[in-house]
Amino acid sequence: MMELSRSECPKWFADKIDLWTQYWINKVNNPNTRNNWDWYDIEGMPTNQCLLPLLCFDTKNHCSYCDKNPLRAKEIDHFKPKVECPEEAFSWENLFIVCKDCNYYKLSNNNDLILKPDEIQYKFDTYFFYEEYSGDLKPKGTKDSIEYRRADETIKSLKLNENGLPRARKRYSDCKHVFENQDIDTLEYRFIYLF
């Protein structure tokens, strides 16, 4: 998970957040519509389709969590789940572009320990260590430190060491010398190239 600088919320979206949030809170409070999530339209187009290119720009077309690139199936994750935290459902700071796998694995996990890639103090090498020989991500620090606990929870919740990710990262790290002169933002798993 690479740190990202979030761009400003687009005005067309900011202008609708309060209204759409109230609509969603009303749906969540009604047992018959509680899980009927839908992106509202803006000028005849679903809002998520308008947001995807903006969120991709912030991550340079990488998944906000696992850092896959390019994203083929792009989805928007609500970092704080939209049913459990309906007041955050349309918050710009709560929306992240992710791959289909990361969106599925995170689901409605609302654990405060999970790291957000746009947190001001977040830096990959503060929380994680990348093991080149295995392709695994490991938490940094001592087991009782908050950094270790947050990294460990992030790895577990997002399954960052499962489903072929270590093997895929290892393939890149085994031949990272081939990519030495390339722009790091065009490569998968950018944290490999930080060390």
Side-chain angles (χ1 to χ4, degrees), residues 9-189:
C9 179
K11 183 176 179 347
W12 62 265
F13 186 63
D15 289 346
K16 298 287 188 180
I17 289 174
D18 291 341
L19 177 66
W20 289 343
T21 298
Q22 193 54 57
Y23 287 163
W24 177 239
I25 288 171
N26 291 342
K27 274 186 163 183
V28 168
N29 289 334
N30 180 338
N32 296 324
T33 58
R34 180 172 175 78
N35 293 308
N36 292 352
W37 170 261
D38 196 17
W39 288 100
Y40 298 105
D41 283 0
I42 187 85
E43 295 182 15
M45 190 168 181
T47 307
N48 60 325
Q49 295 303 310
C50 299
L51 292 174
L52 282 171
L54 302 172
L55 295 169
C56 281
F57 176 81
D58 286 348
T59 66
K60 298 175 176 51
N61 207 38
H62 288 73
C63 174
S64 297
Y65 302 147
C66 74
D67 209 52
K68 282 182 192 165
N69 172 46
L71 288 173
R72 288 167 190 84
K74 301 169 183 142
E75 298 186 1
I76 296 176
D77 177 54
H78 292 80
F79 190 81
K80 291 184 179 176
K82 53 190 174 285
V83 173
E84 289 80 0
C85 304
E87 67 285 348
E88 298 288 330
F90 290 97
S91 168
W92 177 243
E93 291 76 20
N94 193 46
L95 304 176
F96 289 88
I97 191 77
V98 294
C99 68
K100 190 176 191 114
D101 291 339
C102 283
N103 202 24
Y104 175 77
Y105 298 140
K106 185 169 170 295
L107 289 174
S108 293
N109 193 330
N110 192 22
N111 187 326
D112 288 337
L113 289 176
I114 298 174
L115 289 160
K116 273 182 81 183
D118 66 343
E119 287 180 25
I120 292 172
Q121 76 277 12
Y122 175 74
K123 298 281 183 229
F124 177 87
D125 59 352
T126 301
Y127 291 91
F128 299 102
F129 172 74
Y130 173 66
E131 284 187 348
E132 284 195 19
Y133 72 89
S134 67
D136 285 340
L137 291 179
K138 299 288 185 184
K140 258 188 164 178
T142 59
K143 286 192 177 196
D144 59 343
S145 72
I146 188 66
E147 292 83 6
Y148 184 98
R149 289 183 16 242
R150 292 194 73 196
D152 189 51
E153 186 60 40
T154 301
I155 291 167
K156 288 176 183 170
S157 294
L158 299 177
K159 301 191 183 326
L160 295 176
N161 284 334
E162 298 178 34
N163 305 304
L165 278 175
R167 187 173 55 254
R169 292 188 295 248
K170 184 163 175 24
R171 272 197 315 268
Y172 278 89
S173 60
D174 283 350
C175 58
K176 72 179 182 180
H177 63 281
V178 172
F179 303 106
E180 280 178 355
N181 297 320
Q182 287 193 23
D183 177 2
I184 191 173
D185 288 326
T186 64
L187 304 173
E188 283 195 85
Y189 316 117

